[in-house]
Amino acid sequence: MIAAIHSNAGVTVANIDAAGHVTGRSLYLDDLPVMEGTLFAKVLDSTVAHGTIRELDLQGARAVDGVVRIYTAADIPGQNEIGGIIADEPLFADKLVQFQGQPIALVVAETEEIAAEALALIRVTIDPLPVVTDPRDAFAQGLLLCKSRVFQKGDASSAFARCSHVFEGRAETGGQEHLYLETQGAYAYPTEGQGLRIYSSTQGLRHVQETVAHVLGVGMHQVEVDVTRLGGGFGGKEDQAAMWASMAGLAAWTLRRPVKCIPHRMEDMRMTGKRNPYQSDYRIGLDANLKIQAFEATYFQNGGASADLSPAILERTLFHGTNTYDIRHVLLTAHSCKTNLPPNTAFRGFGGPQGMFVIEAAIDHAATVLGIEAAVVQEANLLRDGSEFAYGQVVAGSRARECWEQAFDAFDIEHLRAECAAFNQANRFLKKAVAVMPVCFGISFTNTMMNQARALVHVYWDGSISVSTGAVEMGQGVNTKMLQVAAAVFGVHPSRVKVETTNTTRVANTSPSAASATADLNGKALEIACKEIRDRLDAVARAHANSTGPVVISNEQVTVGGMQTDLTWSALVKQAFFQRVSLSAKGHYATPDINFDKTIEKGHPFAYHVYGTSVTTATVDCIRGTYMLDAVRIVHDFGTTINKAIDLGQIEGGLVQGIGWMTMEEVVYNDAGRLLSNALSTYKIPDIYSVPRIVDVRFLETDGHELAIKGSKAVGEPPLMYGIGSFFAIRNAIRAFNPAASVPYSAPITPEKVLMALHSRKP
Ligand code: MTE
Ligand code: HPA
Ligand code: MOS
């Protein structure tokens, strides 16, 4: 309905990708028609996690019929360097290999089968060096990827002395494989002169463009990057898409032929980094009223062999180290540890979930010893307006208490607990329990510079509209939101608007589609561009109506000064064109009023925060160690959502991904640095049976925030952290079976761990 798009009340516009997705017509990278002369590239990766290459024998592989060329570090015309934040990551290992899965060579052949056949004939001899896979070991050896960081507020060390209760312990969280349905990949083809066009499955076009240019030793202007959509990114394609694009780009540029480089699932799994595992120490101090007076944590982030995005992820761990709690004295220390694993990277939440798990573990520890519900401690410490985060931002517009209180009311948590108690009375080997998880997540890239975006809008003279932004559609529905923004400014039917592919020649210097900020940043830029054209059209309409009144375009009808005119949208556009008025505009947006000073680790880095509270009920089978999530009930702060269906999808997807991380997804490397969970047979992700039987999401509708697009708050990452509640619900159910159980704060809490814990005793 046309009327729907004028309202900002969350009236749903169907996701514009839905029909294409369900009919298989949506175009992904590997669906692009193959150009004549296309070659296929396959990467040879190291089977040794640390060592020096003694010999690389390419003879046999070169002799294979149909092999066109084999590339190594020596064949790079520019720099053998693809690091995003720190220049510490070679495209091809050159003498030194630092992880299993690290690229050593690239075989380019007439077919993929020939490339694979040749790959098997390459002989590599590597002299092994000691392998480090554990971040604490790496730290002990001084192996760090970047400077350690400390966030400090008040004086934690002296505050502990005044606390009635002090608890300390350890917490750890595992890695997480992105498992985007579409693997990484790139398709590069040469254009005239020195040019290259690259179709990439990337969230970060600028990084791909810049990296390929750097590897080739040319300017960014020679490299055009185009993205139709991704079959999921989840952070895994924020930085790591650059490697595949560089491979395809290198071959296409030197051979002047189109080259495709798309890894198979198992290649993707072993060669790319995952969510950073963390090991952490905590100390928490409470006063007699259960106010947390002091909190200290030290985080050992497992970064892998190169920095990739780990330094920025480390920073977000610090930002979210106190989750949604107001704590007077805080001392957080974070180390990014260098190990011989594939470089770990962004994953939904970007270090935030890892930090939040630690404080939730600390609170749970305190509650367990004090014999109270963790929720009592959580509630006593929820953020209020005016309190200050450890990084100096003053809390404003906090919805922490509203979400919490509405969750308690709407879901009657006392009743849920009573139900569990009654169930546990009646069942000896099945136990149920509840856990509450409040979340507060900061919206903006933590690197202030990255909070900018641009858009390019053309109104064609038939009244149809072309929209380009820096936003990448990866399933999160951002294109639909962009379409809604444009249609609303122009007052036209959504079918007038085409959201174009994301392309570096139309929109330059993009920040990655990440940090949940894509719709905010690109939507604001788009709104600016559309309004500029609208202003020009309004002037034409006023002249036509001989009036100075305000112009309203609604349902494609033009009203001036409250009077209906004879102008429709398309007549107005045509008239403007005949008057030689420009029907194109660019918009640029930079989030105002944000800053962060790393020298003192203080500032106002976030445009706003998103809040919510989840209530999880779990049932544990105390004979088998298996479990089921009965229900997750959520009150979430959406602001004034512009698309309820899409935002609800984000909550459900994020929640289930968080549950997977906390309960079943177990990334396992052996001591030699070999990925054992290297396929879907050995790496378990949630399926439909793992989805909670009840997922009940309530919309906390508020005025939104002026820095959120149309007041519709960012929604991509925050819901992942509701999944943390599943760990604690399962833990509580174990303790309902065995009150003396020792349940380490070690996620994922797999059925094996549950079974061990059920029958354990506190030391
Ligand atoms: N949803 C889908 N379907 N696919 C994805 O890859 N990525 C998540 C989230 N939701 C993702 C997703 C991540 S990690 C982020 S940062 C945001 O979407 C990015 O998009 P946004 O900024 O538009 O929210
Ligand atoms: N979030 C996600 N991606 C990022 C960030 C961030 O804060 N900073 C740099 N890349
Ligand atoms: Mo999301 S981890 O910021 O791509």
Side-chain angles (χ1 to χ4, degrees):
M1 291 303 297
I2 295 173
I5 53 164
H6 301 294
S7 110
N8 194 17
V11 180
T12 287
V13 172
N15 188 320
I16 54 172
D17 273 345
H21 286 358
V22 299
T23 55
R25 289 192 178 90
S26 300
L27 288 184
Y28 296 88
L29 177 67
D30 212 12
D31 298 323
L32 295 176
V34 177
M35 298 236 306
E36 190 164 324
T38 293
L39 299 171
F40 297 84
K42 279 196 98 57
V43 177
L44 176 87
D45 60 308
S46 178
T47 53
V48 174
H50 195 198
T52 48
I53 300 175
R54 176 147 37 99
E55 205 194 336
L56 182 59
D57 177 4
L58 305 173
Q59 286 302 95
R62 281 205 177 109
V64 175
D65 201 29
V67 168
V68 177
R69 191 165 164 185
I70 301 177
Y71 295 83
T72 66
D75 302 303
I76 292 179
Q79 306 293 316
N80 183 22
E81 176 55 55
I82 62 169
I85 297 179
I86 298 173
D88 69 349
E89 186 175 356
L91 177 62
F92 292 113
D94 187 9
K95 296 189 185 68
L96 183 68
V97 292
Q98 300 200 79
F99 63 93
Q100 287 206 32
Q102 184 172 7
I104 295 175
L106 183 77
V107 178
V108 180
E110 298 291 345
T111 69
E112 210 184 324
E113 292 69 26
I114 295 172
E117 185 194 331
L119 208 69
L121 297 174
I122 297 179
R123 299 275 161 260
V124 196
T125 318
I126 297 173
D127 297 325
L129 291 166
V131 173
V132 179
T133 59
D134 180 272
R136 289 185 192 263
D137 291 350
F139 181 76
Q141 295 178 37
L143 296 169
L144 293 176
L145 289 165
C146 60
K147 233 179 88 204
S148 297
R149 304 275 296 269
V150 178
F151 278 22
Q152 191 162 10
K153 178 190 168 193
D155 180 5
S157 20
S158 70
F160 281 109
R162 300 189 298 273
C163 289
S164 314
H165 313 286
V166 177
F167 305 96
E168 57 182 55
R170 284 186 169 198
E172 61 177 7
T173 49
Q176 188 173 20
E177 162 63 46
H178 300 87
L179 228 92
Y180 21 64
L181 285 180
E182 178 199 31
T183 60
Q184 302 269 359
Y187 188 8
Y189 72 84
T191 54
E192 206 176 58
Q194 291 222 304
L196 208 52
R197 179 175 304 131
I198 302 194
Y199 295 99
S200 165
S201 182
T202 183
Q203 295 171 242
L205 285 85
R206 176 184 45 144
H207 181 57
V208 165
Q209 183 189 19
E210 181 179 38
T211 305
V212 173
H214 189 68
V215 165
L216 299 179
V218 301
M220 284 168 75
H221 65 311
Q222 300 289 7
V223 183
E224 173 188 348
V225 180
D226 191 278
V227 179
T228 306
R229 65 164 59 70
L230 314 186
F234 305 111
K237 296 170 181 173
E238 184 175 335
D239 241 39
Q240 303 213 338
M243 175 184 126
W244 310 95
S246 300
M247 297 285 180
L250 171 65
W253 196 76
T254 47
L255 297 169
R256 308 313 291 171
R257 282 178 70 177
V259 178
K260 239 191 200 194
C261 186
I262 301 181
H264 290 187
R265 178 65 62 189
M266 286 178 77
E267 293 165 339
D268 185 307
M269 286 179 85
R270 72 169 188 264
M271 290 190 218
T272 64
K274 306 169 196 326
R275 182 189 291 284
N276 297 87
Y278 274 61
Q279 299 205 14
S280 308
D281 299 328
Y282 62 80
R283 186 145 71 115
I284 188 167
L286 292 80
D287 66 18
N289 301 318
L290 301 178
K291 279 288 295 171
I292 305 172
Q293 290 297 335
F295 179 65
E296 247 179 42
T298 305
Y299 310 101
F300 300 92
Q301 177 199 54
N302 194 335
S306 307
D308 192 276
L309 289 164
S310 290
I313 293 162
L314 192 77
E315 189 176 53
R316 200 177 266 278
T317 301
L318 292 166
F319 283 122
H320 296 309
T322 55
N323 189 10
T324 189
Y325 306 112
D326 177 20
I327 305 176
R328 187 163 304 163
H329 302 282
V330 180
L331 178 63
L332 308 175
T333 308
H335 307 294
S336 184
C337 307
K338 179 177 161 119
T339 57
N340 297 111
L341 298 179
N344 286 315
T345 194
F347 197 131
R348 209 169 192 168
F350 205 74
Q354 291 95 317
M356 285 187 200
F357 181 78
V358 179
I359 183 133
E360 293 304 326
I363 289 173
D364 186 85
H365 182 164
T368 304
V369 178
L370 296 173
I372 55 176
E373 295 278 355
V376 176
V377 181
Q378 291 171 317
E379 185 174 12
N381 291 281
L382 290 176
L383 283 172
R384 287 175 193 283
D385 278 1
S387 45
E388 198 180 305
F389 289 104
Y391 48 90
Q393 184 159 344
V394 176
V395 179
S398 167
R399 306 287 176 196
R401 281 180 187 277
E402 257 169 290
C403 290
W404 180 279
E405 281 159 14
Q406 292 208 13
F408 269 68
D409 283 356
F411 307 135
D412 198 348
I413 295 182
E414 288 316 318
H415 179 71
L416 291 177
R417 285 199 185 118
E419 274 182 352
C420 290
F423 179 91
N424 293 346
Q425 275 286 313
N427 289 278
R428 188 162 162 212
F429 293 115
L430 287 176
K431 297 293 175 189
K432 272 188 198 298
V434 175
V436 187
M437 178 69 197
V439 168
C440 164
F441 195 79
I443 302 303
S444 285
F445 286 97
T446 56
N447 181 349
T448 302
M449 175 280 288
M450 295 172 77
N451 296 287
Q452 53 172 311
R454 278 154 292 277
L456 172 67
V457 179
H458 301 309
V459 176
Y460 296 107
W461 83 314
D462 67 352
S464 62
I465 299 158
S466 157
V467 164
S468 297
T469 72
V472 171
E473 176 60 57
M474 52 186 137
Q476 89 280 40
V478 71
N479 279 359
T480 306
K481 290 185 176 179
M482 294 304 102
L483 179 143
Q484 287 181 263
V485 168
V489 175
F490 292 128
V492 299
H493 191 271
S495 63
R496 290 267 189 199
V497 183
K498 176 164 185 234
V499 182
E500 308 284 358
T501 63
T502 319
N503 185 294
T504 51
T505 61
R506 272 179 271 115
V507 177
N509 306 321
T510 60
S511 285
S513 286
S516 307
T518 314
D520 281 1
L521 296 173
N522 292 279
K524 293 267 187 185
L526 175 59
E527 210 169 40
I528 290 167
C530 294
K531 280 186 173 153
E532 194 175 315
I533 298 174
R534 226 347 258 275
D535 283 348
R536 296 180 206 144
L537 292 173
D538 286 3
V540 173
R542 279 195 203 95
H544 177 86
N546 212 354
S547 160
T548 53
V551 180
V552 175
I553 309 177
S554 179
N555 294 352
E556 308 213 345
Q557 295 299 316
V558 182
T559 310
V560 184
M563 303 282 285
Q564 188 75 46
T565 68
D566 60 347
L567 286 175
T568 59
W569 161 258
S570 33
L572 173 61
V573 167
K574 203 148 279 177
Q575 203 172 101
F577 182 71
F578 280 117
Q579 293 173 19
R580 297 187 291 172
V581 171
S582 166
L583 295 175
S584 297
K586 280 217 85 158
H588 169 85
Y589 177 73
T591 312
D593 306 327
I594 50 170
N595 61 77
F596 192 69
D597 183 348
K598 278 195 186 187
T599 60
I600 53 170
E601 305 284 29
K602 297 280 180 196
H604 186 102
F606 297 118
Y608 59 90
H609 290 81
V610 169
Y611 297 86
T613 296
S614 70
V615 182
T616 304
T617 312
T619 305
V620 171
D621 178 329
C622 303
I623 294 177
R624 295 173 181 82
T626 53
Y627 43 76
M628 192 173 87
L629 296 176
D630 306 319
V632 178
R633 298 175 170 95
I634 296 167
V635 174
H636 184 84
D637 159 34
F638 289 87
T640 44
T641 175
I642 53 170
N643 199 312
K644 256 188 162 157
I646 284 174
D647 285 357
L648 183 61
Q650 286 294 294
I651 301 289
E652 292 172 347
L655 166 70
V656 172
Q657 208 162 30
I659 289 171
W661 175 53
M662 277 287 115
T663 65
M664 70 186 77
E665 297 188 39
E666 201 172 22
V667 175
V668 183
Y669 291 94
N670 68 11
D671 290 343
R674 172 177 294 272
L675 180 66
L676 301 179
S677 51
N678 65 350
L680 277 161
S681 54
T682 46
Y683 186 75
K684 174 81 181 126
I685 64 161
D687 55 18
I688 192 63
Y689 301 105
S690 346
V691 173
R693 295 302 176 273
I694 297 171
V695 177
D696 184 352
V697 181
R698 305 287 170 96
F699 285 62
L700 181 78
E701 294 239 13
T702 62
D703 292 340
H705 192 282
E706 73 207 44
L707 299 181
I709 181 66
K710 293 176 153 295
S712 184
K713 284 181 140 188
V715 71
E717 293 164 286
L720 183 126
M721 284 148 276
Y722 295 136
I724 294 174
S726 59
F727 180 97
F728 293 97
I730 291 168
R731 188 179 194 278
N732 292 341
I734 294 171
R735 291 177 46 80
F737 176 77
N738 172 6
S742 154
V743 194
Y745 296 109
S746 167
I749 187 158
T750 57
E752 291 92 319
K753 285 190 196 164
V754 172
L755 196 60
M756 297 301 282
L758 281 164
H759 305 286
S760 66
R761 286 280 179 275
K762 275 239 158 5

